[in-house]
Amino acid sequence: MNTGDYDGIWFLPSGNNGNDLMLQFFSFNEEFKNTSKLDSSTVGDTYFISFFKRSETNDPEFDDAFEAVFSDPEVYVRNLAGAGLYGCIVRKTEKSGEWFYNYLKNIFGYVMITKLKAYANSISNLK
């Protein structure tokens, strides 16, 4: 269990079958760090969460993004092992919404480019 202060967790597939998760804890850079938490409660802090999965062709595919309150986000993420999901969980603060928006925008761009490349490869094989 990570007891340090962190802003988010990347959770990525690992292992031979991809059903295990590798967790990487991170803190924001100067632009986004040291801002007040938003929507915290006695239960826990609010977090932004994004899920991705692998398509049938093993390409990344967006699954879902939402906000939720967690007392321990690490436990939540570790319980996703075997679900075939990966992504990011980020504590909601005054500036993390902007960070999360940029993260999703960049990931969606990557997913779109990956799909376009796969499509281009598939039609080039028809020649």
Side-chain angles (χ1 to χ4, degrees), residues 2-76:
N2 184 310
T3 58
D5 190 25
Y6 58 88
D7 294 309
I9 307 169
W10 303 108
F11 50 101
L12 305 166
S14 69
N16 292 336
N17 59 10
N19 284 331
D20 296 326
L21 288 175
M22 175 185 70
L23 276 60
Q24 183 176 1
F25 297 84
F26 65 90
S27 295
F28 291 133
N29 62 19
E30 291 295 322
E31 182 180 0
F32 295 103
K33 74 178 185 178
N34 297 328
T35 60
S36 299
K37 297 176 188 176
L38 296 178
D39 302 334
S40 292
S41 71
T42 56
V43 174
D45 294 337
T46 301
Y47 291 83
F48 295 109
I49 302 150
S50 64
F51 287 144
F52 293 86
K53 59 185 177 183
R54 293 282 178 193
S55 70
E56 291 178 8
T57 58
N58 208 28
D59 293 320
E61 186 175 88
F62 175 73
D63 187 67
D64 201 2
F66 56 95
E67 293 179 24
V69 174
F70 295 111
S71 58
D72 190 341
E74 181 181 355
V75 170
Y76 177 79

